[in-house]
Amino acid sequence: MGLFSSQIGARDMAIDLGTANTLVYVRGRGIVVSEPSVVAMDTNTGAVHAVGSEAKRMIGRTPASISAIRPLRHGVIADFEVTEQMLRYFIRRVHQSRFAHPRLVMCAPSGVTDVEKRAVIEASLSAGARRVHLIEEPIAAAIGAGLAIEEPVGNMVVDVGGGTTEVAVISLGGIVVAESVRTGGYELDEAIAGYIKREHGIAIGQQTAEDIKLSIGTAGPQEDEASAEVRGRDLVSGLPKSVMLTAEEVRGALEAPLVEIIDAVKETLERTPPELAADIAERGILLAGGGVLLQGFDERIREETGMPASLAESPLTCVAVGSGRSLEEFETIARAGADGASRTRAKRLAQRVRT
């Protein structure tokens, strides 16, 4: 009986289906898949050539007959069929048998519509899941970071992902105030590419823009600022061209999307009840998601809000870990319903995790 139970539990999965990356957490094993949310498909036949890291390497380098697609945009499904193919690939990466039908907990941004929620559920079921339930990303991030969200105190989470930024104040296991803006890591990349195009007359790809962001991108002035050589295509001659780019230039390019993210944090704080705001001033703001790894981002948040702010222990994985821990309470989620009763659900999850 014990072996049978462990086999059933091993089929439970949690998926953080992100705009940039997809992480798969398997009950009892932890995170087993972490790959880019990219699919390379044949435009004529619809056949899948590659998924994940291999497909990402093809972006901007494919012939006309192959298209490298990011099927999610701003945290929601933009291409249903491609998302279904990608989910099926990741599920079979974990369960080799085509007859495996796992129960899934899926992460969803707090600001998605009912239609967008149903799209996630339907894509998961079509990909082979037996049952699917959703958990809000800020709740999952808080659970994954080990916050005591079941207590009657305020906890603030800022989750900057690839396509969205989720800001939420959590107390008693539920979201009290939340703000979701469709600005994230990709908008930072696009801002860099747009600046280089306007100021230097060079076209660069998304991957090059991301590399610049990671190497010399900053959210505020730093002591030792570097510069980087950027190679792209000259818009006038059409020939390859390179230019030196400074950290100050990149910081200026990133300012507009950064201000949008910071404004979302400020607006959430303004709508937070005074008692919870006092708790946040004492406990600080938890920063999660890949976007918060931008150099100086935590310092910028502290300066702009006057609140303590610190990175989660593992910003890239805490959402997946939190949703994975919720697998221990799958039946509680099922009783609560796919979308509703998040307060009761999260409170029980947090109590179970911490005990």
Side-chain angles (χ1 to χ4, degrees), residues 244-258:
M244 291 301 296
L245 203 64
T246 66
E248 184 178 1
E249 286 183 278
V250 176
R251 184 164 58 251
L254 295 174
E255 186 63 16
L258 281 175

Side-chain angles (χ1 to χ4, degrees), residues 33 58 65 102 152 164 177 242 249 301 318 337:
V33 174
M58 298 181 183
S65 60
T164 61
V177 182
S242 63
E249 286 183 278
I301 292 291
C318 64

Side-chain angles (χ1 to χ4, degrees), residues 287 297-310:
L287 304 177
F297 183 83
D298 53 342
E299 298 171 7
R300 181 75 180 269
I301 292 291
R302 285 193 289 267
E303 290 174 3
E304 295 277 356
T305 64
M307 300 280 188
S310 59

Side-chain angles (χ1 to χ4, degrees), residues 77-95:
I77 293 175
D79 190 316
F80 184 89
E81 293 183 357
V82 177
T83 301
E84 179 189 329
Q85 295 269 26
M86 184 174 71
L87 284 171
R88 181 176 288 112
Y89 168 83
F90 287 132
I91 290 172
R92 290 187 178 172
R93 275 276 302 272
V94 177
H95 300 289

Side-chain angles (χ1 to χ4, degrees), residues 33-322:
V33 174
S34 178
E35 296 217 23
S37 303
V38 185
V39 179
M41 299 186 70
D42 190 306
T43 55
N44 297 322
T45 65
V48 175
H49 283 272
V51 178
S53 300
E54 185 179 351
K56 184 179 181 181
R57 289 195 294 269
M58 298 181 183
I59 293 178
R61 298 183 172 91
T62 60
S65 60
I66 299 177
S67 177
I69 303 168
R70 294 185 182 274
L72 290 104
R73 186 69 177 169
H74 299 302
V76 297
I77 293 175
D79 190 316
F80 184 89
E81 293 183 357
V82 177
T83 301
E84 179 189 329
Q85 295 269 26
M86 184 174 71
L87 284 171
R88 181 176 288 112
Y89 168 83
F90 287 132
I91 290 172
R92 290 187 178 172
R93 275 276 302 272
V94 177
H95 300 289
Q96 301 298 325
S97 171
R98 66 164 62 179
F99 302 106
H101 298 289
R103 302 186 300 180
L104 292 185
V105 171
M106 299 288 293
C107 296
S110 59
V112 297
T113 65
D114 289 340
V115 173
E116 291 165 342
K117 288 178 181 178
R118 285 197 296 272
V120 173
I121 294 171
E122 290 299 326
S124 302
L125 293 173
S126 299
R130 176 160 47 104
R131 296 170 66 188
V132 182
H133 295 288
L134 305 185
I135 183 172
E136 298 91 339
E137 286 181 4
I139 293 287
I143 293 174
L147 295 185
I149 63 171
E150 76 278 9
E151 296 179 1
V153 294
N155 293 282
M156 188 171 196
V157 177
V158 177
D159 179 15
V160 184
T164 61
T165 294
E166 303 284 317
V167 186
V169 175
I170 303 168
S171 179
L172 283 172
I175 294 177
V176 180
V177 182
E179 186 77 24
S180 179
V181 294
R182 302 201 168 186
T183 300
Y186 283 146
E187 280 64 39
L188 299 178
D189 298 339
E190 290 172 3
I192 292 173
Y195 172 84
I196 295 174
K197 183 177 181 179
R198 289 191 311 272
E199 300 299 323
H200 297 283
I202 297 176
I204 63 171
Q206 188 270 331
Q207 185 60 55
T208 301
E210 183 180 6
D211 292 341
I212 295 169
K213 178 184 68 177
L214 296 175
S215 60
I216 62 173
T218 62
Q222 305 294 311
E223 290 184 3
D224 299 321
E225 295 192 333
S227 58
E229 184 179 13
V230 181
R231 295 182 179 88
R233 176 174 55 82
D234 189 295
L235 294 174
V236 177
S237 67
L239 299 175
K241 181 181 176 181
S242 63
V243 64
M244 291 301 296
L245 203 64
T246 66
E248 184 178 1
E249 286 183 278
V250 176
R251 184 164 58 251
L254 295 174
E255 186 63 16
L258 281 175
V259 166
E260 190 171 352
I261 292 171
I262 292 166
D263 284 347
V265 177
K266 290 180 178 179
E267 289 172 11
T268 305
L269 285 170
E270 289 171 1
R271 294 189 288 117
T272 301
E275 291 82 1
L276 297 181
D279 293 336
I280 295 168
E282 179 183 349
R283 301 164 72 91
I285 301 171
L286 176 75
L287 304 177
V292 304
L293 296 174
L294 180 69
Q295 190 176 359
F297 183 83
D298 53 342
E299 298 171 7
R300 181 75 180 269
I301 292 291
R302 285 193 289 267
E303 290 174 3
E304 295 277 356
T305 64
M307 300 280 188
S310 59
L311 300 182
E313 185 175 342
S314 180
L316 290 169
T317 62
C318 64
V319 171
V321 169

